[in-house]
Amino acid sequence: MSRRLVAARPRHTIPGVVPHEVWETRLPEASTVSRRAVLGGTAGIALPALGGCGREPAAPPALDPELTILVGAIAAEQDLIALYEAARGAHADLAPRIDPALAHHREHLAVLRRHYVPGSGRLASSAPAPSPVAQRVPGDPSGALAALRQAESRAAAARAAEVGRAGPGLAQLLASIGACEAGHAAALAGSA
């Protein structure tokens, strides 16, 4: 590399501006620095800066409380459906009594899923996959009906508790579902 003085004084001077020296730096003619090496070196410097090296990781956004309630209600409906299907599979003779409630839960699940938008933190369309809950059903039909009744009562109480924490639209939906679940619990008590 060589440096040489190109100009010590400009030809034209501007009043009040002090002339300065201008230096030129030249690489040797047979330079061994390739374009690839320059770009690679630049990338090596820029990538850590772009990757946020040395900075604290951003905190994940807080979940919307209403979204948490909605996802919980969806999981609860999936669990109730799984319990009803297990009872139906273990006691086929109960099908005429429990199929109407099972159909209601499938409708509840479909409506709740329409209000969910996955990954957005907002409500609307397809909801999370069913929760893997192993459903054990008592061996006798009256025990199975009692297990369904208890599950319906717990679900109705959970929906009632969620109503107070949800916004008006979701609260109305949860109240309707909770009332239906309370009705199922009462009907199952009468058929036990």
Side-chain angles (χ1 to χ4, degrees):
M1 225 181 351
S2 67
R3 288 183 65 186
R4 69 181 179 107
L5 184 61
V6 177
R9 295 192 185 263
R11 286 187 206 171
H12 304 288
T13 59
I14 301 172
V17 176
V18 178
H20 62 280
E21 296 179 344
V22 178
W23 289 86
E24 177 180 78
T25 304
R26 288 191 169 178
L27 291 175
E29 292 298 320
S31 174
T32 57
V33 179
S34 69
R35 186 179 326 165
R36 233 179 246 161
V38 171
L39 291 175
T42 305
I45 294 168
L47 286 178
L50 292 175
C53 215
R55 284 191 254 154
E56 291 292 320
L63 287 179
D64 179 3
E66 198 161 273
L67 180 64
T68 304
I69 293 168
L70 178 63
V71 170
I74 289 170
E77 286 302 317
Q78 291 170 335
D79 291 346
L80 281 169
I81 290 169
L83 182 60
Y84 270 91
E85 288 174 345
R88 196 173 190 278
H91 307 287
D93 54 321
L94 292 179
R97 288 193 227 163
I98 64 175
D99 280 354
L102 177 57
H104 289 158
H105 288 297
R106 287 182 176 144
E107 289 172 19
H108 299 162
L109 182 59
V111 171
L112 289 167
R113 281 183 169 166
R114 283 196 299 260
H115 288 80
Y116 179 77
V117 176
S120 71
R122 301 180 61 142
L123 306 177
S125 134
S126 66
S131 59
V133 174
Q135 298 294 342
R136 293 188 183 162
V137 178
D140 62 301
S142 63
L145 290 173
L148 290 170
R149 183 178 65 250
Q150 289 172 352
E152 290 282 8
S153 295
R154 282 191 306 271
R159 297 303 77 78
E162 293 165 348
V163 166
R165 298 187 327 258
L170 184 58
Q172 184 178 7
L173 176 60
L174 294 171
S176 296
I177 291 172
C180 190
E181 290 166 343
H184 294 158
L188 289 167
S191 65

